[in-house]
Amino acid sequence: MDIKKCSLFADVAETENFTKSGERLGYTQSGVSHILKSLEDEVGFPLFIRNKQGVKLTANARQILPAVRSLLANHENLEQIISEINGLETGSLTIATFSSISIHWLPKIIHHFQEIYPNINIQLMEGGTDDIVKWVENDMADFGFMSARNLHLLEFIPLCEDPLMAVLPKDAPIPESGAYPISDFEGQNFIISAMGTDYDIHYALDNSTVQPNIQFSSTDDHAIISMIANKLGISILPKLIIRNFEDQIASYPLDPYYYRTLGIAVKAKDNMSPAAMKFLNLTKEMIPELM
């Protein structure tokens, strides 16, 4: 099966639009239609159904998509190994990540990485825990920066601890001990990260048997910070997320101490591509200066 056909099929499955995928991969719309028709003839069944919004996968196409993505990932890995043997450092890398890591870690890491390996292209996919797990499991991303919680079947390479912090309006009373008792959240108006986006905060509350009065739930960390700053409630957020927002909110360590373990999730550490291993090793080197 032709790799270019498979790549186009997987891209259209993501964009659900022939024109958009053609622009991304350098084909005209008629060229996309011709290639996919050829692939349909090869597999023996239709792959897409047209609708007003674009195209949707057929039931049969949904069945083969995971295998096609796995084929593309293995082909990319093979190309990188061959390049490395020949003394070249080329390839592509797709990284799934929390937005907090894409803001505070990845710009410096990617800048340094591209200085060393300028011919390795990098793409980012931002999302919550469930998104990242899905992208890595389905070979849409080479690996994911995420927390160690709710990994499903992925393997995890820990990098550092990120403390969970009590986050309050700027003029809130300062705790006498300097730490905020998690029990004090009981019954208070609370703004929580949506389940599926975050699991560590939900775990801390459940483990402490604390039941705040949930006012709002959001997948956007910055929206939560803004709501706290405007006194709509209080919250718990990882320290990395609230970095650079100290002028808008007050934050204190939790009592007892809770944290999330940040690291890299992969399908199999032994099968990481050369480019992914290079990125992982550089990240490990740079972690002390990023925290």
Side-chain angles (χ1 to χ4, degrees), residues 269-290:
K269 287 184 280 189
D270 292 341
N271 293 334
M272 291 181 73
S273 70
M277 283 302 303
K278 293 178 193 299
F279 199 94
L280 170 60
N281 292 334
L282 180 61
T283 298
K284 287 180 175 178
E285 291 178 15
M286 295 183 65
I287 280 296
E289 72 180 76
L290 296 170

Side-chain angles (χ1 to χ4, degrees), residues 91-271:
S92 63
L93 202 53
T94 301
I95 301 170
T97 178
F98 288 154
S99 62
S100 56
I101 291 176
S102 71
I103 292 170
H104 297 296
W105 287 8
L106 290 181
K108 290 182 179 179
I109 298 173
I110 291 173
H111 176 74
H112 194 177
F113 186 83
Q114 290 185 328
E115 285 185 328
I116 306 170
Y117 310 109
N119 295 318
I120 297 178
N121 298 315
I122 296 176
Q123 295 183 351
L124 298 181
M125 301 175 71
E126 283 190 8
T129 297
D130 288 356
D131 297 321
I132 294 170
V133 168
K134 178 185 70 175
W135 293 333
V136 176
E137 285 183 337
N138 293 335
D139 293 304
M140 297 175 70
D142 294 275
F143 58 83
F145 280 97
M146 58 179 289
S147 160
R149 205 169 296 280
N150 213 52
L151 290 166
H152 293 203
L153 299 178
L154 298 181
E155 296 184 38
F156 190 74
I157 304 166
L159 295 172
C160 66
E161 289 184 7
D162 186 20
L164 300 186
M165 309 290 287
V167 186
L168 316 173
K170 191 70 175 173
D171 58 358
I174 300 173
E176 290 184 8
S177 67
Y180 192 90
I182 197 167
S183 58
D184 285 1
F185 285 107
E186 182 72 34
Q188 292 212 56
N189 290 345
F190 197 89
I191 304 158
I192 196 164
S193 299
M195 184 66 80
T197 302
D198 163 89
Y199 287 93
D200 296 280
I201 295 162
H202 290 263
Y203 170 80
L205 292 171
D206 292 343
N207 186 65
S208 302
T209 66
V210 172
Q211 293 185 332
N213 179 25
I214 305 297
Q215 291 291 298
F216 303 99
S217 173
S218 177
T219 60
D220 187 330
D221 300 323
H222 294 167
I224 294 174
I225 292 171
S226 179
M227 285 189 274
I228 296 168
N230 285 281
K231 303 183 179 180
L232 296 178
I234 59 180
S235 189
I236 297 172
L237 289 171
K239 189 173 183 178
L240 188 64
I241 286 173
I242 60 176
R243 186 185 291 181
N244 300 333
F245 288 95
E246 293 84 355
D247 60 330
Q248 299 181 35
I249 46 89
S251 64
Y252 306 96
L254 292 176
D255 180 19
Y257 176 72
Y258 282 93
Y259 64 92
R260 64 177 181 174
T261 301
L262 294 177
I264 286 177
V266 295
K267 286 183 75 172
K269 287 184 280 189
D270 292 341
N271 293 334

Side-chain angles (χ1 to χ4, degrees), residues 48-95:
F48 295 98
I49 302 170
R50 294 181 180 271
N51 58 32
K52 292 181 179 178
Q53 287 73 40
V55 294
K56 294 285 187 183
L57 289 172
T58 63
N60 287 335
R62 285 196 298 271
Q63 288 188 56
I64 69 169
L65 180 59
V68 169
R69 284 179 174 151
S70 180
L71 173 65
L72 292 171
N74 288 333
H75 180 264
E76 172 62 26
N77 192 15
L78 174 62
E79 289 288 321
Q80 290 183 22
I81 293 171
I82 292 171
S83 295
E84 195 165 49
I85 291 171
N86 289 322
L88 304 172
E89 289 164 336
T90 63
S92 63
L93 202 53
T94 301
I95 301 170

